Amino acid sequence: MTTTIGTAVRIRGARRVFAGRTVLDGVDLDIAPGEFVALLGASGSGKSTLLRGLGGLDRGFTGSFAAPASKAIVFQEHRLIPWMSVWRNVVLGVNRATKARAITALEEVGLAAKADVWPATLSGGEAQRVALARALVRNPELLLLDEPFGALDALTRLKAQALVARLWTQHRQAVLLVTHDVEEALLLADRALVLRDGRIAESFEITVARPRSVLDPTFSELRRRLLLALGVDPEAPTGADHE
């Protein structure tokens, strides 16, 4: 289904049941063109399930999904094919795939020099940057990010977050980020949503000016409110798994 003018994503009444257990029960969600939305919730709340439904990877939903035909997904695992060079991984499945097109995408993530190497030679952060390049080469109107930094160490994660922020500023596609990290959501998104009891229970507008700092008082207050919405002690250590 195509989207209406002014809306990149429109979900109505999305419901998903697994083995008699209702995970999502009537989710409604709109995302505007160019809007960056973060989705948080407890473990098993259905965050990734909703993303997969929106990405067309799960056909077991009832309800309606309207999204651009041009979309790309980045998962927590980079899912690179080990027997193909980096540049061939980037353009796999892309019409009129050329090395030049792959290198253009790799340049955006700072890895043009790695175009001809094998995925096994990459660090975890580099492999995830290749996965981002593979998504960007498709020029998507909608980018779906399913905890893409979850497997990275803390320093690499911060660098990857900064990269995504820069790429989004350049391309301005609609983004849905599934994350368990409250600070990540507040650093990157325009809006943070809390998924609870099968529905989107709370929504937080993030109006802190970019680039954002965790030291900003408004940021700190939003962090406190979002943690409370997730049922987490605001004094819990930063970066803890809030699922």
Side-chain angles (χ1 to χ4, degrees), residues 57-209:
L57 301 180
D58 186 339
R59 303 293 184 178
F61 277 85
T62 56
S64 64
F65 288 81
S70 173
K71 51 183 174 282
I73 305 177
V74 180
F75 298 97
Q76 183 173 337
E77 308 83 17
H78 55 73
R79 302 190 179 189
L80 301 181
I81 297 175
W83 57 85
M84 298 180 67
S85 64
V86 162
W87 79 263
R88 290 190 182 279
N89 266 280
V90 169
V91 293
L92 182 65
V94 176
N95 292 332
R96 298 183 299 278
T98 64
K99 187 174 183 178
R101 187 171 176 181
I103 289 175
T104 297
L106 287 167
E107 283 175 345
E108 289 202 87
V109 300
L111 285 177
K114 301 281 188 175
D116 292 310
V117 307
W118 301 111
T121 67
L122 301 174
S123 68
E126 288 173 337
Q128 203 62 351
R129 284 154 62 191
V130 173
L132 279 170
R134 183 175 54 194
L136 293 171
V137 79
R138 289 159 170 77
N139 296 315
E141 295 177 59
L142 173 63
L143 182 60
L144 302 171
L145 303 175
D146 191 5
E147 300 195 47
F149 317 124
L152 304 179
D153 64 78
L155 180 58
T156 305
R157 185 184 185 109
L158 289 173
K159 292 179 178 178
Q161 290 168 352
L163 174 62
V164 166
R166 177 176 63 78
L167 293 172
W168 174 77
T169 299
Q170 291 175 352
H171 295 279
R172 291 288 177 167
Q173 65 272 88
V175 178
L176 178 63
L177 166 69
V178 166
T179 181
H180 63 261
D181 189 316
V182 167
E183 290 191 356
E184 180 170 280
L186 295 175
L187 284 169
L188 295 175
D190 299 310
R191 188 160 46 110
L193 308 177
V194 175
L195 193 59
R196 186 191 311 129
D197 298 327
R199 298 188 180 187
I200 293 172
E202 298 189 59
S203 176
F204 296 84
E205 298 291 332
I206 306 169
T207 57
V208 183

Side-chain angles (χ1 to χ4, degrees), residues 1 9-17 22-30 50 53 60-66 195 198-200:
M1 183 187 300
V9 168
R10 183 177 177 86
I11 300 174
R12 290 294 180 269
R15 189 169 189 267
R16 186 66 169 96
V17 179
T22 300
V23 176
L24 297 171
D25 190 13
V27 173
D28 295 333
L29 172 63
D30 290 330
L50 183 63
F61 277 85
T62 56
S64 64
F65 288 81
L195 193 59
R199 298 188 180 187
I200 293 172

